[in-house]
Structure formats: structure tokens, C-alpha cells
Amino acid sequence: MFEWRRLLRFNRYIRGNGQEEIDYQWPTAKLPFISIRTSVGKGKPKVAIGVIALGDVAVGLVAGGAVSVGLISVGAVSVGWLLALGAVAMSGGLSAGAVAIGELAIGAVGIGQSAVGAVAIGQNALGAVAIGQHVLGAVAIGERVYGIVAIGEHGFGLVPIVGDFIRWVAGLFR
């Protein structure tokens, strides 16, 4: 059964500019579909667990909070199976954040199968400093590299330190 007083308490929280802690689970506290729990900095963090979870620490299929774990996760530190967005984001699929680790990682530091970022490390990497197998960056380190400083087996660059270039220069003196 729907509990109107909990919904009214949630509405008072929103009108009070978030100064009150919130503890809302729907349809019941024992088996929540939606769980919203926060301590608002008063005491230890509350954990929200539900299909949709929002709170200090959130665990659910869709999770959002300071620390969040779920299928789709958004937060300061987020771990998601398909998608993670946050300052530190880890995912089996797409992750985006300051530090991103995942299949496709986009961030200041991106680590994954395909990585994009200021520092990108992965099979396919694109960034200012890029390390991987197929690489494009200002400083590119890997097997097939393209960049201003290119270090690797094959590739092109303004400063090419690649096996192909070294073999070509050595061939000039034979």
C-alpha cells in the first residue's frame, strides 16, 4: 500500500532545500523498488538499495550517489556494468569521468579496450599521451603509432622513433 506520509516527508525535504535527511522507499521498506536515502552530512552515510537507488551509497540497477554500484551508475565513485559516469568511473561498457576504466573509457585518464583522454591507455588509444596497439596522440607509444612524438614499431610522427624509420635510416648506410 502506498504510504502518503513518506511522500509528504519527501516533499518537505525538497522544499526545505535539502537540509533534512531523507529516507524514502517505495512501495515498502522491506522490498524497495525506488530507494532514496541520505544523511545530509549528519552522521554516517546511509545505503540505498533498490531497483532505482539514490543516496550517499547507492546499490541498484540504476544507482546514483556519492558511491554508486549498479547496471547504470552515476556518482563521484561509480561502478557500473553497462555505464558508469563519475569522477572515478569503472564499467564493463562505457565509462566516463576524470579517471575512466572500461571497455570504452573517456576521461582525463582513460584506460580500456578503446580509450580517449589526456592520458589514454588501451588497445585503441587517442590522447595527448596515448599508449596501446593502435595509437594517435601528441606522444604516441605502441605498435602502430601516429603523433608528434611517435614511439613504436610502425607509424609516423614529427619525431619518429619507430622501427620502420630506424630501418629506413639504417638502409641508407648499407
Side-chain angles (χ1 to χ4, degrees):
M1 184 161 103
F2 191 76
E3 295 183 22
W4 288 101
R5 65 185 141 88
R6 285 196 301 167
L7 180 60
L8 293 173
R9 190 169 65 214
F10 178 65
N11 289 336
R12 276 197 315 270
Y13 169 80
I14 291 174
R15 282 193 308 262
N17 293 326
Q19 298 303 314
E20 299 176 29
E21 67 179 32
I22 184 169
D23 192 356
Y24 178 78
Q25 291 92 25
W26 179 82
T28 66
K30 302 244 189 259
L31 186 63
F33 179 76
I34 298 172
S35 178
I36 304 169
R37 301 188 75 201
T38 180
S39 65
V40 191
K42 300 175 184 175
K44 77 179 204 183
K46 289 188 173 186
V47 178
I49 298 174
V51 174
I52 299 170
L54 303 170
D56 300 331
V57 177
V59 178
L61 290 179
V62 176
V67 176
S68 57
V69 177
L71 189 66
I72 296 172
S73 179
V74 178
V77 175
S78 60
V79 177
W81 188 49
L82 293 177
L83 173 69
L85 305 172
V88 176
M90 295 173 279
S91 173
L94 172 66
S95 61
V99 176
I101 302 168
E103 187 73 23
L104 173 59
I106 301 168
V109 176
I111 302 169
Q113 181 72 21
S114 297
V116 177
V119 176
I121 301 169
Q123 180 82 13
N124 305 305
L126 170 66
V129 176
I131 302 169
Q133 187 169 2
H134 306 284
V135 179
L136 176 63
V139 176
I141 303 168
E143 187 175 337
R144 291 181 183 87
V145 293
Y146 306 95
I148 295 172
V149 177
I151 304 167
E153 185 60 30
H154 309 287
F156 300 98
L158 192 60
V159 180
I161 308 171
V162 295
D164 291 340
F165 179 74
I166 294 168
R167 285 187 290 278
W168 178 75
V169 171
L172 292 174
F173 299 103
R174 287 187 192 170

